[in-house]
Amino acid sequence: MDLSIPFQLENYIDGKFQPPLGGQYIDNIEPATGKVYGAIPHSNEKDIQAAVTAAEKAFPAWSKTPAEKRFQILNNIAQLIDEQLDVLALAETNDNGKPLWLSQEVDIPRASSNFRFFATAAMHFAAESHTMDGSGINYTLRQPIGIVGCISPWNLPIYLFTWKIAPALAAGNCVIAKPSEVTPVSAYLLAKICQHAGLPQGVLNIVHGDGPHCGEAIVKHPDIKAISFTGSTRAGERIASIAAPMFKKLSLELGGKNPNIIFADCDWEKMMRTTLRSSFANQGQICLCGSRILIEASVYEKFKTEFVTRVQQLKVGDPLEDSSKQGAVVSKLHYDKVMGCIELARKEGGTILCGGNAFQPEGRCKDGFFIAPTVIEGLGPQCITNTEEIFGPVVTLQPFETYEEALTLANASSYGLSATIWTQDVTKAHRLAGNLQCGIVWINCWLVRDLRTPFGGTKNSGVGREGGWEAMRFFTEAKNVCVVV
Ligand code: NAD
């Protein structure tokens, strides 16, 4: 299998690699160096139409392919991802700016887990039946929808791309998928892997391009019956406004502003180590990062001193070096946004305890987009810094006195994706978990994932759930059949 990466990427439509029909490209920029290092198809509705035509042709056979065969193909894809871990990890790091060790340890293994997990789902998926007091039975058919659209963001490129594609294919659908235009390379390589793994042509079509032209062409296409989207709340709102009047099935996984709630009685060392990660992993560019740290007042000063000391020891630098704990943020646009948020925090009266500035490594990365991990205190729950998603290496600290105040502060957000609780008091932890307005709660841990569990948010963090049977149900239509005997 040839996994070399050409300067100009191509779309993968009908099992073939092809240039965008309009002949237009977008620059691909390496965030660690700031240099253009590739070109991405700037696809439009013509490319999407070609992909839909291919998918329509492929659907009758794929939807009837025995589950065991689908399992084998998806499992082959997982196997090939594992075999190509080093190539994929390097591509992901060059595209995204994240440390190479992180791509190797998290992003790529998770992409193969997604395929392996949903390969088995194809074999195990079953539907309900309801008997009627001996007079008859209802049974439910779970049938593939047809052609579905999967649109993913740049922060965990292949990890989130495969999280959507794998269940869609396992359930027997044909897919039109668009990775982020900011991080397209791992999706390009995945297309090569799928071709090699024996996925029939037209079953998965990967089309590159931006949101307004390529993404919206997917959302608007009348023959694409469901949209699974992960990205910003702003884009989710736009997508819903187009897809809802067309009565498409919609799964929207959107932004977050997650609280990390620390009580004085927690396992201190475990909390400190994990909080460092939940604040700054992937440069804070994980929708599940705990960007609002709420600390019981009696340990606020102790936490602040220790935390800031540890944050200042996080080495920012070339993502290709093992010693770098923090790489570059994903783009100049995002760098400007995050730096603007830090400036706003200053204007709102916040105190910058550490970071607050850009960082310029020596050598090859001197023009990259690096930001020193930043900790801010002194801002209340109504400040924009504490209400708007920043999605970068920036966290705020807020003290609380009581359980009730912690709950009020945690829920003081228009978002509702996830929350983390640190306490040894199990009663308090479970009570709080039940009262938090969000879709995912971690108690004394963070980002521990079991792929069977429902994943998603409430409020402005989205609608619908991914993961396990939730994903298989999303990617199928339920049809009830009633038989009276
Ligand atoms: P984004 O919304 O700008 O883009 C996401 C994807 O949508 C990209 O592929 C983009 O091209 C496409 N897109 C943009 N506008 C579109 C439109 N009008 N129609 C169709 N497609 C469109 O988001 P981003 O900047 O790539 O990612 C960061 C955001 O994603 C953050 O808000 C983060 O919280 C969120 N996110 C959420 C989750 C979750 O599971 N809830 C996971 C990861 C990231």
Side-chain angles (χ1 to χ4, degrees):
M1 182 173 34
D2 172 21
L3 285 191
S4 57
I5 303 164
F7 186 83
Q8 279 188 342
L9 299 185
E10 291 182 309
N11 291 328
Y12 180 63
I13 296 175
D14 205 12
K16 298 177 244 343
F17 287 88
Q18 35 192 286
L21 294 170
Q24 306 262 302
Y25 290 85
I26 307 167
D27 284 345
N28 192 14
I29 295 166
E30 183 183 6
T33 63
K35 296 199 172 57
V36 175
Y37 82 121
I40 310 154
H42 191 0
S43 309
N44 59 28
E45 70 283 353
K46 294 199 179 80
D47 303 281
I48 297 303
Q49 182 54 56
V52 169
T53 304
E56 272 167 348
K57 216 167 49 184
F59 180 69
W62 180 247
S63 58
K64 291 186 181 55
T65 298
E68 189 166 351
K69 182 72 185 162
R70 287 206 296 269
F71 158 81
Q72 280 165 353
I73 295 172
L74 298 188
N75 213 34
N76 283 349
I77 297 172
Q79 179 72 26
L80 289 170
I81 292 174
D82 282 341
E83 285 171 17
Q84 300 299 333
L85 184 141
D86 287 338
V87 177
L88 288 163
L90 184 60
E92 202 73 309
T93 284
N94 287 338
D95 241 13
N96 175 278
K98 66 179 70 198
L100 182 58
W101 58 262
L102 187 64
S103 298
Q104 286 166 336
E105 288 173 20
V106 177
D107 294 72
I108 310 309
R110 176 55 195 275
S112 71
S113 297
N114 288 340
F115 268 105
R116 194 167 291 110
F117 177 82
F118 284 109
T120 65
M123 299 274 279
H124 289 267
F125 192 42
E128 320 83 81
S129 74
H130 301 86
T131 53
M132 295 185 295
D133 296 331
S135 63
I137 186 167
N138 291 279
Y139 62 89
T140 308
L141 296 174
R142 286 264 163 198
Q143 296 175 316
I145 296 171
I147 306 174
V148 301
C150 297
I151 303 175
S152 61
W154 48 255
N155 65 322
L156 302 166
I158 196 171
Y159 174 138
L160 291 176
F161 198 55
T162 53
W163 180 233
K164 296 179 179 305
I165 291 170
L169 295 175
N173 299 285
C174 290
V175 178
I176 316 294
K178 189 192 95 58
S180 169
E181 65 277 26
V182 186
T183 51
V185 176
S186 55
Y188 171 81
L189 296 176
L190 180 69
K192 295 241 164 177
I193 285 173
C194 290
Q195 193 182 39
H196 198 74
L199 192 68
Q201 58 189 48
V203 170
L204 170 64
N205 303 276
I206 297 178
V207 188
H208 295 273
D210 69 5
H213 299 91
C214 183
E216 284 207 18
I218 295 175
V219 179
K220 286 178 179 158
H221 199 292
D223 298 333
I224 300 178
K225 299 294 185 195
I227 303 291
S228 174
F229 170 80
T230 299
S232 61
T233 297
R234 180 191 43 76
E237 192 180 337
R238 169 83 185 143
I239 287 168
S241 76
I242 299 168
M246 298 175 82
F247 307 113
K248 295 192 181 202
K249 261 186 133 173
L250 265 181
S251 168
L252 301 173
E253 301 295 338
L254 310 177
K257 190 76 184 174
N258 311 307
N260 177 9
I261 308 157
I262 298 166
F263 289 94
D265 64 357
C266 68
D267 176 337
W268 191 259
E269 179 53 30
K270 187 174 174 207
M271 175 281 293
M272 283 303 277
R273 268 189 282 114
T274 311
T275 295
L276 203 61
R277 261 190 341 109
S278 67
S279 302
F280 298 113
N282 206 35
Q283 295 68 249
Q285 303 166 130
I286 301 180
C287 54
L288 305 161
C289 277
S291 52
R292 294 183 294 137
I293 308 181
L294 313 178
I295 308 127
E296 192 163 356
S298 60
V299 289
Y300 183 87
E301 288 303 322
K302 174 171 146 75
F303 175 85
K304 178 170 112 179
T305 310
E306 276 190 41
F307 186 62
V308 167
T309 304
R310 293 190 194 210
V311 174
Q312 284 170 327
Q313 287 163 2
L314 284 176
K315 183 172 175 267
V316 185
D318 188 338
L320 296 182
E321 284 173 15
D322 283 348
S323 59
S324 297
K325 294 286 174 264
Q326 296 275 291
V329 298
V330 77
S331 66
K332 177 71 166 67
L333 193 70
H334 194 56
Y335 167 93
D336 288 342
K337 183 206 148 174
V338 175
M339 292 305 289
C341 291
I342 295 171
E343 207 36 55
L344 178 69
R346 283 199 178 92
K347 287 203 186 105
E348 289 189 303
T351 303
I352 312 285
L353 298 172
C354 64
N357 54 283
F359 178 83
Q360 293 318 133
E362 304 276 299
R364 132 186 143 91
C365 295
K366 66 180 175 20
D367 297 321
F369 314 130
F370 295 84
I371 299 175
T374 300
V375 182
I376 302 170
E377 72 167 352
L379 294 175
Q382 307 310 328
C383 289
I384 295 170
T385 306
N386 276 323
T387 55
E388 296 287 320
E389 185 184 46
I390 297 173
F391 212 58
V394 181
V395 293
T396 62
L397 310 186
Q398 296 176 71
F400 66 84
E401 296 283 350
T402 61
Y403 168 93
E404 284 72 25
E405 196 188 352
L407 178 63
T408 305
L409 281 175
N411 285 341
S413 174
S414 62
Y415 294 101
L417 187 54
S418 70
T420 306
I421 301 169
W422 291 98
T423 177
Q424 298 289 72
D425 178 340
V426 284
T427 308
K428 185 164 64 182
H430 290 300
R431 186 151 58 99
L432 188 53
N435 287 320
L436 286 166
Q437 297 164 352
C438 61
I440 302 156
V441 179
W442 281 290
I443 298 175
N444 297 329
C445 61
W446 176 72
L447 207 60
V448 176
R449 290 285 293 122
D450 177 331
L451 303 189
R452 296 168 299 179
T453 59
F455 180 93
T458 61
K459 302 200 267 188
N460 289 352
S461 293
V463 287
R465 292 291 180 273
E466 298 184 324
W469 291 157
E470 299 278 350
M472 295 299 282
R473 291 195 189 106
F474 175 77
F475 284 116
T476 48
E477 284 289 2
K479 181 190 288 174
N480 191 66
V481 181
C482 178
V483 195
V484 172
V485 290

